[in-house]
Amino acid sequence: MADHLRIALTSCIRHKNLPRQPQWQQISNSQPDCLFLLGDHIYMDFGYPPFSREYNGKPRRYSHNKFERTMREKYQQQWQEPHFRQLLDNMRDKGGLFATWDDHDFAWNNACGSEVPADKRETSRALFHEFLDCSRNRPHIYCHADLPLARAIVLDNRFYADLPGQQAALLGDEQWQFLTEKLTHNRPWTLIASGLSLTHGQENWARYPAEYRRLCTLLRQHDNVIWLAGDIHDNVLVPPSAEHPCHEVISSGMAVNRLGLPFGISNLQNWAQLDLYPDRADVLLHSKKGRRAASIQRQPQA
């Protein structure tokens, strides 16, 4: 088994704000073995009127044909960005591309599967597979792969989700069974990729209290789990605690601004690098302001 695995991770890309994205070259230059894209690869909606013509929630009103046409056009625009396209092609060639989605590339802001019509859900998933082409478990987006030093588990926090609430579902029964089974393996590390953070941001796992308690109970039965998340337009490393079951690396805002304005204000270039070794995981959080480094020590197996 190899003694080093380099992973790049990021999320949140809005071509409308940033049609030119040379920052993807930074990731290419780091020569990752794997790339995790953690959602919002396109923005069906973003921002508020009168500043945005595609304001949050607007796609709710689209006919199915307009929904499909708009989503396809947005994918095509982003996939034509040369730095992004070259990186994806390289990662796919080496079998190292992983991706999930979040609300803005699933349907609309804060969308949950239970409120999105079935035809739009299926169209969204079909376009995800057409352009990302990385799920090992079609038709589902959730999947897993065994890598040198780690098992990677990709979750889908949108398609099967209810609206948040005390007893609301987030993963659905089949995905819970999948996660429970895939957490048992012989790799030194477990990586779980999720669009949603565990506790950070306006949307997170903690807004589903029953599901979050179930997840915490499950993850505390397994050592050396690292949660990978996006969504919040920031880079954060969260250590485990009484309320937080594992280390979490959040990286969000690769090519988007904070406000959704049609001109460049607070443009972000956030991504993270995770270097796995048999005894530790080194984390580098990259932004326009520089880099922040940290290290996670691997715990002996119980």
Side-chain angles (χ1 to χ4, degrees), residues 197-248:
S197 166
L198 294 173
T199 58
H200 280 59
Q202 295 180 349
E203 288 192 286
N204 53 49
W205 269 75
R207 293 189 67 204
Y208 293 79
E211 297 279 86
Y212 186 54
R213 289 193 297 270
R214 181 178 180 180
L215 180 70
C216 289
T217 299
L218 178 61
L219 294 187
R220 289 191 176 109
Q221 299 171 18
H222 299 273
D223 297 321
N224 304 306
V225 175
I226 302 177
W227 192 273
L228 310 179
D231 178 54
I232 67 170
H233 295 184
D234 202 358
N235 283 344
V236 183
L237 175 61
V238 188
S241 66
E243 295 78 28
H244 201 278
C246 62
H247 285 93
E248 180 177 18

Side-chain angles (χ1 to χ4, degrees), residues 57-253:
K58 187 175 182 180
R60 288 177 181 270
R61 298 161 40 194
Y62 293 171
S63 68
H64 175 255
N65 286 341
K66 183 173 182 179
F67 182 88
E68 181 175 15
R69 183 174 66 252
T70 301
M71 182 171 279
R72 178 176 293 278
E73 288 173 353
K74 287 181 174 291
Y75 270 116
Q76 289 172 338
Q77 289 168 353
Q78 178 58 39
W79 262 242
Q80 288 168 5
E81 204 290 322
H83 306 88
F84 177 79
R85 187 178 65 245
Q86 182 178 17
L87 175 61
L88 256 62
D89 288 346
N90 290 342
M91 299 312 301
R92 191 178 285 111
D93 286 346
K94 64 171 68 175
L97 179 63
F98 297 86
T100 188
W101 55 12
D102 202 25
D103 50 349
H104 295 284
D105 55 344
F106 169 56
W108 50 76
N109 185 51
N110 297 344
C112 299
S114 63
E115 64 171 343
V116 178
D119 57 353
K120 290 182 178 178
R121 286 203 313 270
E122 292 298 339
T123 289
S124 179
R125 187 162 66 174
L127 287 171
F128 178 97
H129 288 317
E130 178 180 339
F131 284 89
L132 272 305
D133 190 25
C134 62
S135 175
R136 283 82 168 161
N137 187 33
R138 294 193 185 195
H140 306 294
I141 285 173
Y142 67 84
C143 63
H144 87 287
D146 286 331
L147 308 171
L149 297 177
R151 170 165 287 182
I153 299 172
V154 177
L155 297 182
D156 176 355
N157 299 152
R158 292 293 169 182
F159 196 91
Y160 311 95
D162 295 332
L163 292 171
Q166 287 293 323
Q167 299 300 319
L170 187 56
L171 297 186
D173 292 340
E174 288 188 13
Q175 193 173 184
W176 269 114
Q177 181 179 354
F178 161 83
L179 175 60
T180 302
E181 292 176 354
K182 300 310 178 187
L183 279 169
T184 299
H185 58 86
N186 61 1
R187 263 52 178 182
W189 297 94
T190 301
L191 305 176
I192 303 179
S194 165
L196 288 179
S197 166
L198 294 173
T199 58
H200 280 59
Q202 295 180 349
E203 288 192 286
N204 53 49
W205 269 75
R207 293 189 67 204
Y208 293 79
E211 297 279 86
Y212 186 54
R213 289 193 297 270
R214 181 178 180 180
L215 180 70
C216 289
T217 299
L218 178 61
L219 294 187
R220 289 191 176 109
Q221 299 171 18
H222 299 273
D223 297 321
N224 304 306
V225 175
I226 302 177
W227 192 273
L228 310 179
D231 178 54
I232 67 170
H233 295 184
D234 202 358
N235 283 344
V236 183
L237 175 61
V238 188
S241 66
E243 295 78 28
H244 201 278
C246 62
H247 285 93
E248 180 177 18
V249 182
I250 305 170
S251 186
S252 171

Side-chain angles (χ1 to χ4, degrees), residues 4-8 25-34 87 91 94 271 273 275:
H4 177 226
L5 179 69
R6 173 163 291 174
I7 292 162
Q25 189 63 44
Q26 298 174 26
I27 294 181
S28 294
N29 292 344
S30 74
Q31 298 184 322
D33 301 298
C34 300
L87 175 61
M91 299 312 301
K94 64 171 68 175
W271 64 283
Q273 180 178 309
D275 286 289

